[in-house]
Amino acid sequence: MNTDRRTKTPVALLGATGAVGQRFVSLLADHPWFELSALVLRPARQVSPLAEACRWILEPMPENVAGIDFSSSEEIPECRLIFSALGADVAGPLETRLAEAGRFVVSNARSHRMDSRVPLVVPEVNPDHLDLVAAQEWEGGLATNPNCSTIGLVLALKPLADAFGLRRVQVVTLQALSGAGLGGPSALSMTDNLVPVIPGEEEKLERETGKILGVLSPGRDAVEPHGAVVSAQCTRVPVLEGHTECISVELERDAETAEVIEALAAFRAAPQELLLPTAPERPLEVLAEEDRPQPRLDRNRGAGMTCSVGRVRPCGVLGHKLVALSHNTVRGAAGGSVLLAELAVARGAVEGVAAPRAA
C-alpha cells in the first residue's frame, strides 16, 4: 500500500486523552491512508500539545504526534473525516453539528448507535448497513462503532447466523478494567473481586446485537432488527484488557459441533476481501486448546483485531456453547472504528475521500 504522506487523508480526532482516545492516536500515528492532523478538546480544556495534555498509558507515545496542539471543539480544522472518542455526555450534539456541516464522523460513542438513520457497523458483519449514510439528511455523514462487548459477540454469532440461523442467545461477559476508562474501578476495589453489574451494558448488548445482525429495509433507509432473543449478564473482572464472553446459542437448524467449528474457522468478509489496512487476516480464530482463549495470551492476536473463539461444545439447554475473547480497546473501540472508516472510504461512502492505490 502506498504510504506517501502526500496521498494520505487528513483526519481529526475528538477526545485523545482517555484510554480509547490514546488507542486511536496509536493506530492513526502511522496509518497508510489517514494522517492524524488535528486533536480536539472541549472549549473548557486547556489547549496544549498531546505530550503535555494527558497521562499516556500505552507504549511510548509516537513521536510524530506528540507535538500536535489541541484545537477547540468550536474551531475544528478542515478535515473531511473525523473520529470521535468522546464520552456520550458531549458526543451527540457535537457529532450531529459536524455531520450537518459536511464532515463524515466515525463515532465510538453510544449517542447515535440506535438512531434509525445511523449505521451501527462491525465491518465483517454488516458492511451493507453503510448504505444508510446515503439516506441521511446531513451534508456529511455519521456512522457508529458498537459497544466493546457487542463487537466480540456479533463476530462470533455472524457465521452461525448465516450458516444455521439464530433463535436465542445467552451471554455472560467478563469485561476488562480498561473498558471502564481511566476513571474506572481502583486496583483496591477490584483485587480479589468481581463486580456483577456494569450499568447499561446488558441493554446495549441486547439491543445493538439485533440492529447489527438485522437487514436493510427494501428502501435501504432503515434496519429491520434480527429476531433472535438475546439475554446478557455483564460483569467487571480484574483483567487489564480483553473482554471474555461465555456464549450459548440456539440455532434454527440442527448442526454438529464440527460444523459449528468449521463455520467459525472459515469466516472471512468484506474487510479481508478488500485488504483493508487494519483488517486482520482472520477475524475469528478457533483455538483447539481446552483452556483457551485467555486474555493475557490471546487478546493481541491479529494486532488486537482478531476475535479468539474456543471451547466450542454442546449445550444441554440451547444446543451449543463457546467462549469468545476480543481486545476491548482495539477491536472493540479504536481499531474497530478505524476499520469502519477504511470500509466507508473503500465503499465510496465518504464524499471526496478515496482509498489510495497500491504502490
Side-chain angles (χ1 to χ4, degrees), residues 187-196 236-239:
L188 182 61
S189 68
M190 289 304 301
T191 300
D192 189 32
N193 200 20
L194 176 153
V195 179
R236 186 75 68 196
V237 298
V239 169

Side-chain angles (χ1 to χ4, degrees), residues 319-344:
H320 301 274
K321 55 187 175 181
L322 55 91
V323 177
L325 168 72
S326 58
H327 196 304
N328 54 294
T329 62
V330 181
R331 168 56 91 159
S337 296
V338 173
L339 182 59
L340 172 52
E342 294 168 0
L343 179 68

Side-chain angles (χ1 to χ4, degrees), residues 123-198:
E124 286 90 350
V125 177
N126 58 334
D128 59 317
H129 287 199
L130 275 171
D131 289 356
L132 288 175
V133 172
Q136 292 175 353
E137 298 177 353
W138 303 310
E139 287 293 321
L142 176 60
T144 55
N145 193 51
N147 179 266
C148 51
S149 55
T150 304
I151 290 178
L153 177 63
V154 297
L155 279 169
L157 294 179
K158 174 62 174 176
L160 304 185
D162 286 350
F164 313 110
L166 198 61
R167 284 203 183 106
R168 290 190 292 171
V169 179
Q170 182 184 19
V171 57
V172 177
T173 70
L174 298 90
Q175 297 183 216
L177 296 172
S178 55
L182 295 183
S186 68
L188 182 61
S189 68
M190 289 304 301
T191 300
D192 189 32
N193 200 20
L194 176 153
V195 179
V197 64
I198 303 175

Side-chain angles (χ1 to χ4, degrees), residues 24-73:
F24 269 108
V25 171
S26 180
L27 291 169
L28 292 170
D30 193 31
H31 192 279
W33 291 10
F34 307 137
E35 180 73 22
L36 183 58
S37 60
L39 302 174
V40 181
L41 288 174
R42 285 176 279 174
R45 298 286 299 276
Q46 182 179 358
V47 177
S48 59
L50 176 63
E52 300 175 10
C54 68
R55 178 172 59 88
W56 192 260
I57 62 170
L58 301 180
E59 65 281 350
M61 183 183 294
E63 293 183 2
N64 61 325
V65 299
I68 298 178
D69 284 328
F70 280 89
S71 302
S72 164
S73 59

Side-chain angles (χ1 to χ4, degrees), residues 5-343:
R5 296 169 74 92
R6 293 170 297 178
T7 69
K8 294 184 182 184
T9 297
V11 302
L13 172 62
L14 311 179
T17 59
V20 171
Q22 292 184 30
R23 281 290 180 194
F24 269 108
V25 171
S26 180
L27 291 169
L28 292 170
D30 193 31
H31 192 279
W33 291 10
F34 307 137
E35 180 73 22
L36 183 58
S37 60
L39 302 174
V40 181
L41 288 174
R42 285 176 279 174
R45 298 286 299 276
Q46 182 179 358
V47 177
S48 59
L50 176 63
E52 300 175 10
C54 68
R55 178 172 59 88
W56 192 260
I57 62 170
L58 301 180
E59 65 281 350
M61 183 183 294
E63 293 183 2
N64 61 325
V65 299
I68 298 178
D69 284 328
F70 280 89
S71 302
S72 164
S73 59
E74 301 302 318
E75 299 177 351
I76 298 175
E78 285 296 327
C79 295
R80 177 65 180 153
L81 180 61
I82 296 178
F83 293 96
S84 175
L86 293 172
D89 57 331
V90 297
L94 178 55
E95 291 169 359
T96 298
R97 176 166 65 83
L98 290 168
E100 290 173 341
R103 315 293 186 95
F104 192 100
V105 181
V106 177
S107 174
N108 189 65
R110 69 173 185 270
S111 307
H112 294 283
R113 286 177 185 161
M114 300 310 297
D115 188 326
S116 62
R117 303 169 296 172
V118 176
L120 179 64
V121 179
V122 176
E124 286 90 350
V125 177
N126 58 334
D128 59 317
H129 287 199
L130 275 171
D131 289 356
L132 288 175
V133 172
Q136 292 175 353
E137 298 177 353
W138 303 310
E139 287 293 321
L142 176 60
T144 55
N145 193 51
N147 179 266
C148 51
S149 55
T150 304
I151 290 178
L153 177 63
V154 297
L155 279 169
L157 294 179
K158 174 62 174 176
L160 304 185
D162 286 350
F164 313 110
L166 198 61
R167 284 203 183 106
R168 290 190 292 171
V169 179
Q170 182 184 19
V171 57
V172 177
T173 70
L174 298 90
Q175 297 183 216
L177 296 172
S178 55
L182 295 183
S186 68
L188 182 61
S189 68
M190 289 304 301
T191 300
D192 189 32
N193 200 20
L194 176 153
V195 179
V197 64
I198 303 175
E201 197 81 356
E202 293 167 356
E203 293 81 2
K204 293 177 196 174
L205 258 175
E206 294 168 357
R207 296 180 65 210
E208 292 178 11
T209 298
K211 182 175 181 179
I212 295 165
L213 294 178
V215 297
L216 285 177
S217 64
R220 307 188 78 75
D221 58 356
V223 174
E224 299 173 0
H226 195 284
V229 177
V230 180
S231 175
Q233 297 186 78
C234 296
T235 71
R236 186 75 68 196
V237 298
V239 169
L240 180 59
E241 293 178 312
H243 288 353
T244 302
E245 301 181 330
C246 301
I247 305 166
S248 295
V249 297
E250 181 182 9
L251 305 175
E252 289 185 346
R253 75 170 181 86
D254 292 338
E256 298 294 330
T257 298
E259 294 179 281
V260 171
I261 293 174
E262 182 179 1
L264 293 166
F267 182 58
R268 303 289 189 279
Q272 286 71 44
E273 296 166 2
L274 293 168
L275 300 177
L276 299 180
T278 304
E281 180 179 352
R282 290 184 287 183
L284 289 176
E285 186 166 356
V286 180
L287 308 181
E289 298 91 334
E290 65 177 10
D291 61 349
R292 304 286 280 276
Q294 296 180 26
R296 193 168 63 185
L297 301 180
D298 300 308
R299 61 193 170 208
N300 289 318
R301 290 178 182 270
M305 292 294 289
T306 292
C307 177
S308 301
V309 177
R311 303 206 67 214
V312 184
R313 59 210 191 279
C315 172
V317 178
L318 294 184
H320 301 274
K321 55 187 175 181
L322 55 91
V323 177
L325 168 72
S326 58
H327 196 304
N328 54 294
T329 62
V330 181
R331 168 56 91 159
S337 296
V338 173
L339 182 59
L340 172 52
E342 294 168 0
L343 179 68

